[in-house]
Amino acid sequence: MSGGPDVAEPGPPGTTAPPASLTPDAGTTAPPVSLTPAAAELIRSLRGRHGPLMFHQSGGCCDGSAPMCFPAGEFRTGASDVRLAALEVEGVPEPVGFWMSASQWELWRHTTLTVDVVPGRGSGFSLEAPEGVRFLIRSDLAT
């Protein structure tokens, strides 16, 4: 895999081909989602305690605008969600799906997203909440 073990493969979003407006812009070379080393380490730790994982980022306010980490399948995705990535994390046997609400991706499709970890209390529903840290998205314009 190009880009190292903690970079997403930019596979097809969702389970079926999304409308063109929901796919990364033609000509972009960066994968839509990547991880910082700190995020990858936390994912390894959470995977060891909770099993396979997934992320979902909605377009909501407050904690809904942060990436939420769940046991895989615990958050039900549907037609209003787009799978942006299957994150390959060294030491984690299966990819970690990264989903975003389609309406949020419509606004952010011109960016590359990096999942990071910062000190602070996350959402009560996200697995990292008791750890004293929270996942955070950093974004840059796609090149």
Side-chain angles (χ1 to χ4, degrees):
M1 178 168 120
S2 64
D6 298 327
V7 176
E9 281 296 326
T15 55
T16 60
S21 65
L22 296 180
T23 58
D25 291 332
T28 60
T29 57
V33 183
S34 64
L35 300 168
T36 65
E41 183 59 35
L42 182 55
I43 289 169
R44 281 188 285 276
S45 175
L46 293 172
R47 169 52 172 92
R49 285 180 274 156
H50 301 282
L53 304 172
M54 68 178 289
F55 279 97
H56 186 273
Q57 177 145 353
S58 72
C61 70
C62 309
D63 282 335
S65 59
M68 307 276 267
C69 184
F70 302 101
E74 287 281 319
F75 185 92
R76 294 188 68 183
T77 58
S80 64
D81 298 300
V82 177
R83 191 183 79 165
L84 298 180
L87 298 165
E88 298 285 341
V89 181
E90 187 176 330
V92 174
E94 66 283 317
V96 177
F98 188 98
W99 298 80
M100 182 178 279
S101 70
S103 60
Q104 186 73 4
W105 181 242
E106 179 63 32
L107 297 171
W108 286 18
R109 67 187 175 97
H110 302 292
T111 63
T112 57
L113 309 174
T114 303
V115 180
D116 199 359
V117 176
V118 295
R121 179 148 169 81
S123 167
F125 297 114
S126 193
L127 290 175
E128 83 282 4
E131 306 294 318
V133 295
R134 62 186 180 94
F135 287 111
L136 174 83
I137 287 291
R138 298 185 188 281
S139 62
D140 289 305
L141 285 177
T143 57

